Amino acid sequence: MARAAIEVRVTAPEDLDLLMGLYASARVDTTQLRASVDVVRARLERAMRAGQVQVLMATLGGEPVGYALLSHGPLLPLGDADGPSVEHVHVVPAHRRRGIGRALLRRALTLAEAEGADQLACTVLPTDRDYTRFVARLGFAPVVVRRAVSLATLRRKLAVEGSAGDVLARRRSLRARLARSTAETGELPVIRPEQSARPDRVAAS
């Protein structure tokens, strides 16, 4: 019996029900996708209607089995190399190792060529080793590393470092005043307790 052919097409907002079924599968498959189906549906519909993204859907015998989300723009904010970027690829686990991922990237390649782009980028989660190896075998190489931090963590880190820096600056100022006063009068100035805060205490608070 002949194996069913893999078909890949560009989706429209009318395909959102099918796409959300695939997203639900991807959400179960990885802990990185935490946004709810309803939230993603609303965001994706707005982005698709605005032409900000394209979503490719792969079907096997008419059944949706995978998708790829493509964004468009420069690889770097200040760069001049435009082209699509494959932000996310998912193949339903039961249909993996059948060439579906390759079929999705093949269609992404065709779209990139039609745009006149000379490259295709992809986003890879550091914890997704299988996908990392998959795209590496196809020639994708690291270009940039993006890191993220929660706002609460960043605020706490900046506050600690800023407080310690302020105290060290005050101590340097006091030392300079002490040196000038001693040179001018030959006597040590009186330093009030609140002027001699220790940076290690501030940093640890």
Side-chain angles (χ1 to χ4, degrees):
M1 181 176 179
R3 180 181 294 184
I6 302 169
E7 297 183 359
V8 178
R9 64 180 176 87
V10 179
T11 61
E14 292 72 25
D15 296 305
L16 279 170
D17 287 340
L18 297 175
L19 291 174
M20 288 305 97
L22 291 171
Y23 173 76
S25 168
R27 195 164 178 262
V28 170
D29 193 48
T30 176
T31 59
Q32 299 289 337
L33 301 179
R34 298 176 182 175
S36 69
V37 171
D38 291 338
V39 168
V40 170
R41 183 191 182 97
R43 290 177 181 172
L44 188 57
E45 183 174 11
R46 287 195 299 269
M48 291 174 72
R49 292 191 183 281
Q52 297 171 338
V53 300
Q54 285 181 303
V55 185
L56 306 178
M57 182 169 64
T59 59
L60 193 61
E63 177 187 357
V65 292
Y67 71 91
L69 175 66
L70 279 64
S71 65
H72 300 265
L75 179 61
L76 298 173
L78 301 181
D80 58 359
D82 287 334
S85 176
V86 182
E87 303 297 345
H88 185 225
V89 174
H90 174 69
V91 176
V92 175
H95 294 282
R96 289 175 182 169
R97 302 187 183 282
R98 297 186 183 184
I100 295 169
R102 284 179 174 268
L104 287 165
L105 289 181
R106 192 175 296 113
R107 185 60 184 273
L109 167 64
T110 301
L111 292 175
E113 290 175 335
E115 291 181 13
D118 60 0
Q119 66 180 11
L120 179 67
C122 71
T123 297
V124 181
L125 296 174
T127 55
D128 195 340
R129 296 182 179 179
D130 289 340
Y131 186 58
T132 299
R133 288 192 289 266
F134 171 66
V135 296
R137 287 195 298 268
L138 294 176
F140 287 85
V143 179
V144 296
V145 175
R146 300 188 68 186
R147 299 191 178 194
V149 61
S150 71
L151 297 184
T153 298
L154 181 59
R155 184 180 298 110
R156 184 172 65 252
K157 295 286 187 179
L158 291 174
V160 169
E161 293 175 3
S163 298
D166 291 343
V167 171
L168 290 174
R170 287 198 298 271
R171 291 193 65 176
R172 286 194 292 268
S173 176
L174 286 172
R175 289 189 185 122
R177 287 164 51 195
L178 175 63
R180 286 197 303 270
S181 177
T182 302
E184 293 172 359
T185 66
E187 297 180 358
L188 294 174
V190 176
I191 304 298
R192 295 190 299 274
E194 63 271 19
Q195 293 179 301
S196 59
R198 291 175 54 189
D200 55 336
R201 290 180 180 173
V202 175
S205 62

